[in-house]
Amino acid sequence: MAHSAGLFLVDRIMLVTIHEDINDSDIVELQDQLAVKVHAKGARGIVIDISALDIVDTFVGRIIAQLAGIGSILDAPTFVVGMRPAVAMTLVELGMTLPDVRTARSLGHALAQLRDSPTIG
Amino acid sequence: MPWHSCAILQPLDDPWPPASAVLFHRQPILTESDVVLGRQAVGRAMAEVGAREVRRIRLVTAVSEIFRNALRYGGGGEAVIFLDRVTKAVLVECRDNGPGIEDTALAMRDGYTSGKGLGMGLGGAQRLTDAFELHSRPNEGTRVRMMSRA
Ligand SMILES: Nc1ncnc2c1ncn2[C@@H]1O[C@H](COP(=O)(O)OP(=O)(O)OP(=O)(O)O)[C@@H](O)[C@H]1O
Ligand SMILES: [Mg+2]
């Protein structure tokens, strides 16, 4: 996975960072590690930070959807942060929907929502 | 080469490249890093003709889909990026010598994939550009041409 993605546990929340050069072979490893860590650490939620990405295409969209799918199976709500409005608009026109994913304006907003939610944690 | 199957959704003007266009960058698409380099070059080309962020992101996203297809299905290819300061447009051609597409109209359809994708790449790229042409010939290859104005 090298530097194309990162996984950090912050306050029982899994923070996933995705970089521009992520590729097919990284995804499987990222999914594996995420599932194991969310389960082992009892993470309350997942926050995917895509602020390092210039764009989101169907390839990255699929990665986000798959990570969120793992989150929903393991009862860890998934937030995406760092998506610029122009990127979000483009994603809609591309025809991608991310049903299991909520977006938050910033990492701080996502963490606050995960903390405040009575159904979470 | 005479193309076997083509899906021309928003036709480009003849000739290709337009007389007022200049070559901006040639990018071999042989690895995933080449896909990133190619789309960064397209982003720079859009900036060069004065495109706003949302216009730039639309074309960069479209070419990302097409470059990834050339790599995944076409076994790699080459992208050629032109810019036209007269019409304030960026033109991109991506071609490969892969297996080609038997039925381009089917391939363009949202949700159609022969792999494990979402089948949104071709249709999405067409929606995100101002002109889009897909030409293919089985066993010889695929060529996509796109144009976006700033
Ligand atoms: N360069 C190419 N060479 C051969 N076949 C191609 C090429 N580009 C696309 N195709 C075919 O067209 C189909 C549809 O392409 P499209 O990009 O729309 O979806 P996808 O790549 O399958 O999934 P997605 O792009 O949503 O991840 C592909 O599954 C493939 O069969
Ligand atoms: Mg595709």
Side-chain angles (χ1 to χ4, degrees), chain A residues 46-61:
Chain A
I46 299 169
V47 176
I48 305 173
D49 182 357
I50 59 163
S51 53
L53 303 182
D54 191 37
I55 57 145
V56 174
D57 59 9
T58 58
F59 176 73
V60 170

Side-chain angles (χ1 to χ4, degrees), chain A residues 8-14 41-45 111 114-115:
Chain A
F8 314 93
L9 190 70
V10 183
D11 197 12
R12 281 183 62 214
I13 287 156
M14 282 308 309
K41 311 283 183 188
R44 296 177 297 158
L111 295 179
L114 281 163
R115 271 193 208 107

Side-chain angles (χ1 to χ4, degrees), chain A residues 20-25 53-62 84 86-87 89-90 92-96, chain B residues 32 36 39-40 53-54 56-58 60-61 64-65 68 72 110 116-118 120-121 124-125 127-128:
Chain A
E20 196 158 41
D21 57 346
I22 189 157
N23 63 45
D24 259 326
S25 41
L53 303 182
D54 191 37
I55 57 145
V56 174
D57 59 9
T58 58
F59 176 73
V60 170
R62 208 177 74 221
R84 281 168 295 138
V87 173
M89 282 163 57
T90 303
V92 170
E93 204 160 356
L94 196 53
M96 280 224 63
Chain B
E32 307 237 13
V36 175
R39 68 184 193 221
Q40 285 171 344
E53 187 196 21
V54 67
R56 177 177 58 79
I57 287 174
R58 285 164 62 95
V60 172
T61 306
S64 186
E65 295 297 337
R68 281 198 202 282
R72 179 172 307 157
D110 279 349
K116 56 181 168 61
L118 298 165
M120 302 302 291
R127 284 188 289 279
L128 291 170

